[in-house]
Amino acid sequence: MEQQVLELLAATLEPAAETRTNAERHLEQLYTNDAFPLSLISIASHTSVDLALRQAALLSLKTFVLRTWSSSLDEFQGLLTINDATKDQVRHTLLALATSGDQERKIVSASSYVVSKIASVDFPDQWPSLLPTLLQLIPQSHENQLHGVLVVLGNLVEDGFDEEQFGKSAIELVRCIYDIATDERKKLTSRALAISIFRACFDTMEVMYQTDKASVKQFMQEASDAWTPFFINVLKLPLPQIPAEEQESDTDSGSWRGIIALKTQVVKALDKIHRTFPHLLTQHTLELFGTIWESLQAHVGPYIALYISDNRQGRLEDADRLPYTLDFLVIEELDYIQTLVGSVTVKRELESQIAPEKLPNGAYDGTWIAQIMTILVGFSQITQEDEGLWDFDVNVFLSEETSETANYSPRNACSYLVQKLCKYPVLNSLLAHTKATYEDASSSARTKEATMFVLKQILDELDSCSKDINPDIARAYLHYIGLAMQDNDVFLRARGYILIARLTTLPSTGLLDVVPEYARQTLAAIDQDSSDVVKVSCIRALQEYLKTLPASSAREFQVQTVAAISNFISAQDLSDLKESDDLLDTLVETLRDAIMADPSLCLEHPALDVLFTMASYGASSFQTTMLVNEAFESITSSMAAKGSDSYARLCAKVLPTLTGALDVGDMTSENALSDMAVSLLSSLAEHGPHPLPQNFVAAVMPKLYRLLFSTNEPILNQSATVTIRHIVSHDADQVFLWQDPATGKGGLEIVLLIIDRLLGPDVDDASAAEVGGLTVELVEKAGAERLGPYLMQLLRIVAVRLSTAEHASFIQNLVLVFARLALTNAKEVLDFLAQVHVEGGVGGTGLEVVLRKWLENSVHFSGYDAIRQNVIALTNIYKLHDERLSNIQVQGDLMVDTSSRIKTRSQSKRAPDRYSIIPVPLKLTKVLISELANPISPSTPGLQQNHFTDHSDDEDDEWEDEQGIVDLSNPTTTAELMAYADESRYNVRQLDDETQTYLIDFFKQASTEPDFRDLYQGLTDEEREKLHQI
């Protein structure tokens, strides 16, 4: 068996897809053989076998376990293929492998993961010896074996234990990992791994806290009292001498890597404790703050030596996901000190140190504010790695600049910390630091840029909090920013242009008078500066100026901005531009702001041509597409507001480009380009006048017709359908008079053919999602006389398609066809549907099919207009008191499962929700009652109140409350927030006042009718209470 399995595993690693697929299929056929999982474990255990094959064996074992071990696993596929005796063998041999001390950490990690998956369903009932075995192994294990035990234990804590299992073993578990963490004879990485397990315990304890606060609080307090002194001692350990790069990965005792890993886990654990159970560390808060403060001060020098002066690699983790580079430790320390700053104790201490009586001459020199400025500037410097990346790819620079990057660095952490400190006079202190930096001839460009970076974060935060800035301080900064703008260093120069725009456009600085001059300098730099980093920084800075300049000046800058962007684009490599989403977004945003200064002027210069050029490059980017659409919609609405002539001029300019883009997209099969073009056409048609310009239909309809018959791309079909709906809505006569020269068919026939295709079985729900709106628009504009026999046929097709529709938005779209008709002709709609027969498993009369879909999905309808039309249509149907409706049974209320056990996804599939069965009149009444908004009682908590604060005790008094901010780290907050999702308590789907008034009047009238009394008996207590309240 082993040889056969080994050969199949080798085949799964072959590059040929067919070979891999066949091997995987043969492995699955062995699932019923009891020897199969044992063979996999045996292969993974042999050190003589190639590592790749050992890993493949464990990967195959993981898949086997997830699919076949237990129905409690989410990935279970219904095949219990092995007996209990074999399972017992698998458990013990797999655990032996995970804790064998294998030198390959990947084997240990993979095998321990499978152990945790088995333990999640078998422990403790089928595997009672697991935890005792692990805890027994800990004191007697050698280093390699201890590593395996800790990895298994960590996986169990994270994924294998439920709250009850963890509660039974928590005391012994925490004691064992404490012994490892504090044992200086153990490897530093093993001690760090033990601390990471302790930190993981808090996730489970946080859940347990909801049901047993007293016990959990006592246990965690005892644990914290034991661990905290150890944590503080670790934080005070000095860093070893910086090793040579080739020695940095050394894991021996006392090594650089080990100390970093240990300190990092300590800070992460402390931060976790503060975020989950803040009261546990109250008595240590000041000591912890001071220790972290000293650590940060001590780490600035090594950090600069490693990443600023040198180019060491950062952001590194080992196979156990333990970070071991200094940059990770610095990030954790910066984030943790940000947490500590929220402590009332720390806040009082910081305020006392900068009290006026303690400041000679009011200067902050030597205070903690001056010290924190040094720390922030030190860690905010651009690393050599980042400088190389930014200089090579300006798109990466922009992603960092806009904080839209996945690389969270010390520089990013500094930006968040400085924002937290803006309640203190940091602007004054930074000015002194800036002055000293610029006057020191030895200061590097990196240091100056970091100073400017910190200033930018302060300005952003003060502006967001609407805090005024002293004009004298603002003008003092102008000198240093001006020097930065003239510096030879690219990044310092770029920072200067970004910062001058931010500072001068803030109203409280009193610098608005110099905005035009600096705006002109910024425009000039786009054309004249040699660096793309500076150019794009200037383009981004223009956004600040364009939003601040008076309208008359903004129009002048509009022309110059469009020209500058056009020149910049023409100098770029087009293939690179398509891959530069952040750069494109910046260009489009600036162009949009320029256009918004006066959209009507865009026909007098090439703004639209530049916009469409960028649209073609960024068609595949959602963000770029959205920005282009926003800009174009502003132009279209502005031109339409000026009258038909202006709109016609706009159409004459843009229609050839947009229809041409559709041709290009069709020829090159670039759906993204076609999506963009149709979306812009939709905006153009939506804002059009009545009637549309002559030949508008002739220019657009043939393209849309061909498009809708040649693709099933959902977004493309939806946009094209909406565009045609807007055209029919604005100028139906032009549509009906138009004749397609290619086919000879008239406009009405073309639209009917489009609807027929979208409602056909070959088009999925997503692609046909907007056809209902088009159908209604056509029926209302064409009328029964023009449509003739096509009207009944059209409605029949809608009813049939509705019977198979599954997507909520598509169902709403189709239901609203009948709802709109029922607003004026409810009886005719019911009579028609009663004559329609729908084939298939959910078949019956059209009346049965449509009403079931309608009533079972009404509560999910969205949009004020759609909800209002739906409510009025349903009340019109109710008022008919049609006896046919009482004979139709539909889905009623959910039958609640009284079991307290949490269902997995697989269990939900096997035992889906059940509903009662009730007649249509009762369901219709329930739907209308659900649309009534709950009256807001005085006791209903609002988000502006401190509703989430637990006043049962004073354990959280150490942490300041910020008005309007919900503490998501509070253990009780999650449960409270989830309560808001309960619509029985707070109706989040409120209607407009007009619809509410209409519903109240309807129920007041209906309640006097004899039939309503019978329906009332079928309502729930909550539904009756709603009616009583009105």
Side-chain angles (χ1 to χ4, degrees):
M1 167 66 79
E2 284 187 27
Q3 185 59 37
Q4 179 189 2
V5 172
L6 192 60
E7 292 173 357
L8 291 172
L9 290 173
T12 63
L13 303 178
E14 291 292 328
E18 184 177 355
T19 303
R20 292 198 310 272
T21 303
N22 289 334
E24 289 165 358
R25 186 172 65 252
H26 281 97
L27 286 171
E28 291 175 5
Q29 291 171 357
L30 295 175
Y31 280 8
T32 55
N33 191 322
D34 286 346
F36 175 65
L38 296 172
S39 297
L40 292 173
I41 297 172
S42 177
I43 292 170
S45 302
H46 283 298
T47 56
S48 59
V49 176
D50 184 74
L51 177 60
L53 289 173
R54 298 175 69 193
Q55 288 180 277
L58 289 172
L59 178 61
S60 183
L61 180 66
K62 182 191 76 170
T63 304
F64 168 79
V65 167
L66 293 176
R67 291 180 179 179
T68 68
W69 195 271
S70 170
S71 59
S72 297
L73 292 170
D74 289 343
E75 298 87 346
F76 181 69
Q77 294 186 351
L79 297 172
L80 291 168
T81 61
I82 55 177
N83 58 47
D84 291 342
T86 303
K87 281 188 175 183
D88 193 51
Q89 280 185 275
V90 169
R91 294 187 197 101
H92 287 90
T93 53
L94 186 60
L95 180 60
L97 172 61
T99 60
S100 64
D102 196 296
Q103 295 289 340
E104 292 291 348
R105 293 203 166 196
K106 292 180 179 178
I107 298 299
V108 174
S109 297
S111 55
S112 65
Y113 177 81
V114 184
V115 168
S116 69
K117 282 299 179 183
I118 295 175
S120 69
V121 293
D122 286 0
F123 178 82
D125 296 335
Q126 286 80 40
W127 202 356
S129 63
L130 174 60
L131 188 58
T133 299
L134 292 172
L135 298 181
Q136 186 178 2
L137 282 171
I138 287 177
Q140 61 192 40
S141 299
H142 57 77
E143 278 295 345
N144 286 336
Q145 189 178 23
L146 177 61
H147 168 256
V149 173
L150 290 175
V151 172
V152 173
L153 203 55
N155 281 326
L156 286 176
V157 171
E158 290 184 5
D159 301 313
F161 291 153
D162 61 23
E163 294 80 47
E164 182 180 357
Q165 295 163 358
F166 179 82
K168 293 178 180 178
S169 57
I171 294 176
E172 188 176 4
L173 172 64
V174 171
R175 179 186 58 77
C176 282
I177 58 177
Y178 174 80
D179 289 342
I180 299 170
T182 57
D183 189 346
E184 296 183 1
R185 296 169 298 176
K186 303 295 185 186
K187 289 179 67 172
L188 290 168
T189 50
S190 296
R191 297 170 65 191
L193 196 54
I195 297 171
S196 75
I197 297 172
F198 177 64
R199 175 169 53 89
C201 291
F202 279 82
D203 291 323
T204 306
M205 298 305 297
E206 187 176 5
V207 176
M208 294 174 63
Y209 185 77
Q210 304 301 318
T211 56
D212 191 2
K213 289 187 177 182
S215 298
V216 171
K217 186 176 178 181
Q218 179 182 353
F219 171 77
M220 295 311 300
Q221 187 66 63
E222 292 173 357
S224 175
D225 290 345
W227 283 79
T228 304
F230 161 66
F231 285 161
I232 293 174
N233 289 334
V234 171
L235 292 176
K236 291 180 178 180
L237 290 175
L239 291 180
Q241 184 177 356
I242 298 176
E245 190 165 5
E246 62 273 10
Q247 298 174 334
E248 195 171 350
S249 60
D250 180 19
T251 59
D252 290 341
S253 177
S255 71
W256 171 270
R257 173 172 172 171
I259 289 289
I260 296 292
L262 185 67
K263 283 176 168 283
T264 302
Q265 291 307 311
V266 165
V267 181
K268 288 168 75 74
L270 286 168
D271 193 53
K272 184 71 174 181
I273 297 172
H274 264 120
R275 292 180 183 278
T276 51
F277 300 99
H279 62 282
L280 295 178
L281 297 175
T282 298
Q283 60 180 322
H284 303 286
T285 300
L286 271 182
E287 185 179 7
L288 285 168
F289 182 81
T291 304
I292 293 292
W293 184 280
E294 291 172 359
S295 293
L296 283 170
Q297 288 180 309
H299 295 162
V300 171
Y303 179 84
I304 292 174
L306 286 169
Y307 305 111
I308 311 302
S309 302
D310 200 354
N311 191 16
R312 295 284 183 94
Q313 189 172 359
R315 305 187 184 104
L316 295 179
E317 295 180 344
D318 65 15
D320 301 317
R321 295 175 299 173
L322 294 178
Y324 63 86
T325 49
L326 181 61
D327 57 332
F328 271 135
L329 174 58
V330 168
I331 288 172
E332 295 299 335
E333 290 176 331
L334 287 168
D335 286 346
Y336 185 43
I337 207 166
Q338 182 186 161
T339 301
L340 291 172
V341 166
S343 162
V344 172
T345 303
V346 171
K347 181 181 177 182
R348 288 171 181 164
E349 177 64 24
L350 294 178
E351 289 176 346
S352 70
Q353 291 187 21
I354 57 172
E357 62 273 14
K358 293 187 178 181
L359 296 179
N361 303 321
Y364 294 95
D365 298 344
T367 66
W368 67 265
I369 295 185
Q371 295 172 19
I372 198 65
M373 288 300 108
T374 302
I375 292 173
L376 289 169
V377 170
F379 289 126
S380 294
Q381 293 182 64
I382 302 173
T383 65
Q384 285 201 22
E385 180 183 8
D386 284 341
E387 182 178 282
L389 288 172
W390 298 355
D391 200 35
F392 176 76
D393 188 351
V394 71
N395 197 62
V396 179
F397 166 76
L398 280 174
S399 68
E400 293 281 350
E401 191 63 28
T402 56
S403 299
E404 294 177 358
T405 173
N407 293 327
Y408 186 66
S409 65
R411 183 176 169 100
N412 301 126
C414 285
S415 70
Y416 291 113
L417 177 57
V418 75
Q419 290 168 14
K420 191 85 171 182
L421 296 171
C422 279
K423 63 184 71 175
Y424 304 105
V426 290
L427 201 59
N428 309 57
S429 182
L430 183 63
L431 179 59
H433 185 91
T434 304
K435 183 175 183 293
T437 299
Y438 273 84
E439 290 178 353
D440 184 353
S442 64
S443 295
S444 67
R446 277 193 174 88
T447 306
K448 295 175 182 177
E449 193 280 337
T451 305
M452 299 289 101
F453 172 81
V454 172
L455 175 58
K456 172 68 161 50
Q457 310 313 308
I458 295 174
L459 295 178
D460 287 344
E461 179 64 14
L462 294 177
D463 183 44
S464 68
C465 298
S466 301
K467 293 184 178 179
D468 291 340
I469 297 170
N470 187 319
D472 293 334
I473 294 178
R475 289 196 176 272
Y477 274 113
L478 275 183
H479 170 67
Y480 302 109
I481 300 173
L483 294 176
M485 293 167 63
Q486 300 168 19
D487 199 274
N488 292 328
D489 183 82
V490 167
F491 297 103
L492 179 55
R493 200 159 67 247
R495 177 65 50 203
Y497 282 106
I498 291 172
L499 190 52
I500 199 69
R502 193 73 181 103
L503 181 67
T504 57
T505 54
L506 292 175
S508 64
T509 61
L511 297 173
L512 293 179
D513 57 315
V514 300
V515 165
E517 175 56 31
Y518 282 115
R520 291 187 184 92
Q521 291 183 31
T522 303
L523 274 168
I526 298 174
D527 290 329
Q528 298 170 10
D529 202 284
S530 59
S531 168
D532 278 353
V533 169
V534 176
K535 289 176 184 287
V536 297
S537 297
C538 290
I539 290 172
R540 190 162 182 264
L542 283 175
Q543 297 172 24
E544 302 280 359
Y545 295 126
L546 289 165
K547 295 172 184 175
T548 307
L549 288 165
S552 57
S553 299
R555 293 190 189 97
E556 170 197 343
F557 281 98
Q558 182 189 77
V559 178
Q560 299 176 48
T561 301
V562 171
I565 294 175
S566 178
N567 292 337
F568 178 80
I569 292 174
S570 63
Q572 300 300 304
D573 186 316
L574 301 187
S575 59
D576 290 343
L577 201 57
K578 287 185 177 181
E579 303 298 325
S580 304
D581 290 349
D582 293 288
L583 175 56
L584 276 173
D585 292 347
T586 297
L587 295 172
V588 174
E589 287 173 340
T590 304
L591 183 63
R592 175 201 60 193
D593 292 342
I595 290 172
M596 293 293 288
D598 189 346
S600 63
L601 294 178
C602 65
L603 297 182
E604 301 174 10
H605 50 71
L608 285 170
D609 295 329
V610 177
L611 182 67
F612 291 154
T613 299
M614 289 189 290
S616 65
Y617 295 146
S620 58
S621 166
F622 172 78
Q623 178 72 8
T624 304
T625 301
M626 184 180 68
L627 291 170
V628 170
N629 278 323
E630 180 183 332
F632 187 69
E633 187 173 1
S634 299
I635 296 168
T636 303
S637 58
S638 175
M639 298 298 286
K642 291 181 176 295
S644 298
D645 290 342
S646 296
Y647 181 83
R649 288 173 55 219
L650 176 65
C651 291
K653 183 175 182 64
V654 303
L655 279 179
T657 302
L658 296 179
T659 54
L662 287 177
D663 291 335
V664 172
D666 187 36
M667 289 186 293
T668 59
S669 299
E670 288 191 27
N671 284 334
L673 183 59
S674 298
D675 285 346
M676 174 78 81
V678 174
S679 180
L680 297 177
L681 280 173
S682 181
S683 292
L684 188 66
E686 180 182 6
H687 296 282
H690 301 266
L692 293 169
Q694 190 175 6
N695 296 323
F696 187 98
V697 172
V700 174
M701 280 297 290
K703 311 287 185 182
L704 298 178
Y705 174 54
R706 186 194 72 244
L707 196 66
L708 286 166
F709 272 81
S710 62
T711 180
N712 281 329
E713 175 65 28
I715 296 176
L716 198 53
N717 277 346
Q718 290 176 28
S719 296
T721 307
V722 170
T723 304
I724 296 174
R725 174 166 63 83
H726 290 318
I727 293 173
V728 172
S729 173
H730 285 280
D731 199 346
D733 289 338
Q734 188 177 161
V735 174
F736 299 148
L737 292 173
W738 168 71
Q739 190 171 37
D740 182 21
T743 62
K745 294 181 172 64
L748 177 59
E749 185 179 359
I750 291 290
V751 178
L752 286 170
L753 287 171
I754 290 171
I755 294 173
D756 182 66
R757 167 171 163 71
L758 293 173
L759 291 173
D762 296 332
V763 179
D764 59 28
D765 286 9
S767 295
E770 297 293 340
V771 69
L774 174 59
T775 303
V776 169
E777 205 65 56
L778 182 66
V779 169
E780 292 183 349
K781 294 295 183 181
E785 183 176 346
R786 189 186 294 270
L787 286 172
Y790 292 118
L791 177 59
M792 295 298 106
Q793 183 179 348
L794 186 62
L795 297 178
R796 185 187 307 273
I797 295 172
V798 174
V800 171
R801 186 66 179 87
L802 182 59
S803 69
T804 61
E806 296 179 353
H807 288 200
S809 60
F810 185 40
I811 293 172
Q812 172 179 327
N813 203 258
L814 294 182
V815 164
L816 288 178
V817 173
F818 299 105
R820 288 270 289 268
L821 295 174
L823 294 177
T824 53
N825 301 288
K827 186 177 186 308
E828 288 79 358
V829 170
L830 297 188
D831 291 341
F832 164 74
L833 289 174
Q835 300 171 20
V836 174
H837 181 71
V838 179
E839 303 286 347
V842 292
T845 67
L847 190 61
E848 295 170 335
V849 170
V850 171
L851 284 177
R852 284 195 186 108
K853 285 280 188 177
W854 189 339
L855 295 174
E856 290 170 7
N857 290 276
S858 279
V859 293
H860 304 302
F861 286 5
S862 60
Y864 282 136
D865 289 339
I867 294 174
R868 184 186 301 114
Q869 292 169 11
N870 183 54
V871 165
I872 296 174
L874 289 176
T875 57
N876 287 347
I877 292 174
Y878 175 91
K879 291 174 184 177
L880 295 175
H881 299 290
D882 195 312
E883 293 184 1
R884 293 173 292 187
L885 304 186
S886 300
N887 298 323
I888 302 174
Q889 301 295 307
V890 297
Q891 194 179 80
D893 298 322
L894 175 66
M895 300 172 68
V896 180
D897 185 359
T898 57
S899 171
S900 60
R901 184 178 179 183
I902 298 175
K903 281 186 177 181
T904 64
R905 290 190 297 270
S906 58
Q907 290 169 339
S908 297
K909 290 178 182 178
R910 293 195 299 275
D913 292 334
R914 295 182 299 140
Y915 293 84
S916 61
I917 303 299
I918 59 178
V920 164
L922 178 57
K923 178 68 174 182
L924 194 153
T925 305
K926 286 175 171 288
V927 168
L928 291 175
I929 291 174
S930 72
E931 299 293 357
L932 280 169
N934 280 322
I936 301 177
S937 71
S939 61
T940 301
L943 286 177
Q944 72 280 5
Q945 299 171 338
N946 192 12
H947 172 66
F948 297 106
T949 302
D950 184 1
H951 296 291
S952 58
D953 53 49
D954 60 354
E955 64 184 27
D956 293 338
D957 290 349
E958 167 67 10
W959 303 93
E960 64 178 350
D961 297 324
E962 297 186 44
Q963 290 297 320
I965 296 178
V966 176
D967 181 12
L968 295 177
S969 65
N970 189 295
T972 62
T973 301
T974 303
E976 296 286 357
L977 283 175
M978 292 303 293
Y980 274 84
D982 181 359
E983 290 190 14
S984 65
R985 293 178 62 189
Y986 312 112
N987 191 341
V988 298
R989 188 171 173 272
Q990 295 183 2
L991 307 173
D992 58 288
D993 293 340
E994 182 182 345
T995 305
Q996 287 296 293
T997 302
Y998 176 86
L999 270 174
I1000 292 171
D1001 292 342
F1002 164 78
F1003 276 113
K1004 286 181 177 178
Q1005 181 180 351
S1007 63
T1008 63
E1009 300 172 358
D1011 291 349
F1012 189 81
R1013 296 171 189 171
D1014 296 331
L1015 295 174
Y1016 183 82
Q1017 302 304 315
L1019 300 178
T1020 64
D1021 291 341
E1022 291 82 4
E1023 290 166 342
R1024 294 176 186 176
E1025 179 61 25
K1026 259 192 177 184
L1027 293 179
H1028 289 161
Q1029 290 174 346
I1030 64 171

